[in-house]
Short mmCIF file of all heavy atoms in Angstrom, two decimals:
data_model
loop_
_atom_site.label_atom_id
_atom_site.label_comp_id
_atom_site.label_asym_id
_atom_site.label_seq_id
_atom_site.Cartn_x
_atom_site.Cartn_y
_atom_site.Cartn_z
N VAL A 232 -6.62 -23.28 1.76
CA VAL A 232 -5.35 -22.58 1.88
C VAL A 232 -5.12 -22.14 3.30
O VAL A 232 -5.98 -21.62 3.92
CB VAL A 232 -5.47 -21.24 1.10
CG1 VAL A 232 -4.15 -20.39 1.22
CG2 VAL A 232 -5.72 -21.50 -0.36
N LEU A 233 -3.90 -22.52 3.80
CA LEU A 233 -3.58 -22.10 5.15
C LEU A 233 -2.65 -20.79 5.07
O LEU A 233 -1.61 -20.83 4.35
CB LEU A 233 -2.62 -23.14 5.94
CG LEU A 233 -2.09 -22.87 7.19
CD1 LEU A 233 -3.12 -22.51 8.26
CD2 LEU A 233 -1.19 -24.06 7.69
N ILE A 234 -3.02 -19.72 5.75
CA ILE A 234 -2.21 -18.57 5.68
C ILE A 234 -1.91 -17.98 7.07
O ILE A 234 -2.81 -17.98 7.87
CB ILE A 234 -3.00 -17.54 4.79
CG1 ILE A 234 -2.33 -16.21 4.79
CG2 ILE A 234 -4.40 -17.25 5.18
CD1 ILE A 234 -2.83 -15.23 3.58
N SER A 235 -0.68 -17.64 7.23
CA SER A 235 -0.28 -17.06 8.46
C SER A 235 -0.14 -15.56 8.28
O SER A 235 0.60 -15.06 7.46
CB SER A 235 0.98 -17.60 9.04
OG SER A 235 2.04 -17.20 8.32
N ARG A 236 -0.99 -14.77 9.07
CA ARG A 236 -1.00 -13.33 9.01
C ARG A 236 -1.83 -12.80 7.86
O ARG A 236 -1.57 -13.11 6.59
CB ARG A 236 0.35 -12.76 9.07
CG ARG A 236 1.22 -13.10 10.19
CD ARG A 236 0.73 -12.73 11.58
NE ARG A 236 1.60 -13.13 12.56
CZ ARG A 236 2.32 -12.28 13.34
NH1 ARG A 236 2.06 -10.91 13.24
NH2 ARG A 236 3.09 -12.70 14.21
N VAL A 237 -2.70 -11.88 8.10
CA VAL A 237 -3.49 -11.26 7.14
C VAL A 237 -3.48 -9.71 7.36
O VAL A 237 -4.44 -8.97 7.44
CB VAL A 237 -4.93 -11.79 7.05
CG1 VAL A 237 -5.07 -13.20 6.61
CG2 VAL A 237 -5.45 -11.78 8.52
N GLY A 238 -2.25 -9.26 7.45
CA GLY A 238 -2.05 -7.71 7.60
C GLY A 238 -1.90 -7.00 6.41
O GLY A 238 -2.69 -7.22 5.45
N GLY A 239 -0.89 -6.11 6.26
CA GLY A 239 -0.72 -5.38 5.11
C GLY A 239 -0.40 -6.12 3.81
O GLY A 239 -0.79 -5.74 2.75
N LEU A 240 0.27 -7.33 4.03
CA LEU A 240 0.61 -8.13 2.84
C LEU A 240 -0.46 -9.32 2.74
O LEU A 240 -1.01 -9.50 1.64
CB LEU A 240 2.05 -8.71 3.06
CG LEU A 240 2.71 -9.37 1.99
CD1 LEU A 240 4.19 -9.35 2.21
CD2 LEU A 240 2.19 -10.71 1.70
N GLY A 241 -0.54 -9.95 3.84
CA GLY A 241 -1.44 -11.14 3.79
C GLY A 241 -3.09 -10.79 3.67
O GLY A 241 -3.80 -11.59 3.16
N GLY A 242 -3.46 -9.49 4.01
CA GLY A 242 -4.79 -9.15 3.86
C GLY A 242 -5.21 -9.08 2.42
O GLY A 242 -6.20 -9.79 1.98
N PRO A 243 -4.48 -8.28 1.61
CA PRO A 243 -4.84 -8.15 0.24
C PRO A 243 -4.72 -9.63 -0.41
O PRO A 243 -5.39 -9.94 -1.43
CB PRO A 243 -3.85 -7.15 -0.34
CG PRO A 243 -3.52 -6.30 0.82
CD PRO A 243 -3.58 -7.22 1.99
N LEU A 244 -3.76 -10.36 0.05
CA LEU A 244 -3.46 -11.72 -0.54
C LEU A 244 -4.67 -12.59 -0.28
O LEU A 244 -5.28 -13.15 -1.19
CB LEU A 244 -2.27 -12.29 0.21
CG LEU A 244 -1.48 -13.53 -0.50
CD1 LEU A 244 -0.21 -13.73 0.39
CD2 LEU A 244 -2.34 -14.80 -0.27
N ALA A 245 -5.24 -12.68 0.98
CA ALA A 245 -6.50 -13.44 1.30
C ALA A 245 -7.61 -12.89 0.58
O ALA A 245 -8.40 -13.78 0.17
CB ALA A 245 -6.56 -13.42 2.84
N GLN A 246 -7.74 -11.56 0.37
CA GLN A 246 -8.83 -11.05 -0.24
C GLN A 246 -8.87 -11.46 -1.65
O GLN A 246 -9.95 -11.90 -2.15
CB GLN A 246 -8.67 -9.50 -0.20
CG GLN A 246 -9.75 -8.71 -0.94
CD GLN A 246 -9.49 -7.23 -0.77
OE1 GLN A 246 -9.79 -6.59 0.29
NE2 GLN A 246 -8.91 -6.60 -1.84
N SER A 247 -7.72 -11.50 -2.40
CA SER A 247 -7.69 -11.97 -3.78
C SER A 247 -8.03 -13.49 -3.84
O SER A 247 -8.65 -13.88 -4.77
CB SER A 247 -6.32 -11.65 -4.44
OG SER A 247 -6.32 -10.32 -4.58
N LEU A 248 -7.64 -14.30 -2.91
CA LEU A 248 -7.94 -15.67 -2.81
C LEU A 248 -9.44 -15.91 -2.62
O LEU A 248 -10.14 -16.73 -3.27
CB LEU A 248 -7.21 -16.43 -1.75
CG LEU A 248 -5.68 -16.43 -1.82
CD1 LEU A 248 -5.17 -17.23 -0.71
CD2 LEU A 248 -5.22 -17.09 -3.11
N ALA A 249 -10.02 -15.07 -1.76
CA ALA A 249 -11.46 -15.20 -1.40
C ALA A 249 -12.39 -14.93 -2.62
O ALA A 249 -13.27 -15.60 -2.95
CB ALA A 249 -11.85 -14.32 -0.33
N VAL A 250 -11.98 -13.70 -3.37
CA VAL A 250 -12.88 -13.36 -4.40
C VAL A 250 -12.62 -14.28 -5.69
O VAL A 250 -13.56 -14.36 -6.61
CB VAL A 250 -12.82 -11.93 -4.77
CG1 VAL A 250 -13.23 -11.01 -3.63
CG2 VAL A 250 -11.36 -11.56 -5.25
N ALA A 251 -11.46 -14.90 -5.78
CA ALA A 251 -11.25 -15.85 -6.89
C ALA A 251 -11.93 -17.20 -6.70
O ALA A 251 -11.91 -17.94 -7.61
CB ALA A 251 -9.76 -16.12 -6.99
#
Side-chain angles (χ1 to χ4, degrees):
Chain A
V232 178
L233 172 63
I234 175 167
S235 73
R236 306 296 184 117
V237 285
L240 192 162
L244 195 169
Q246 176 177 282
S247 289
L248 297 180
V250 297

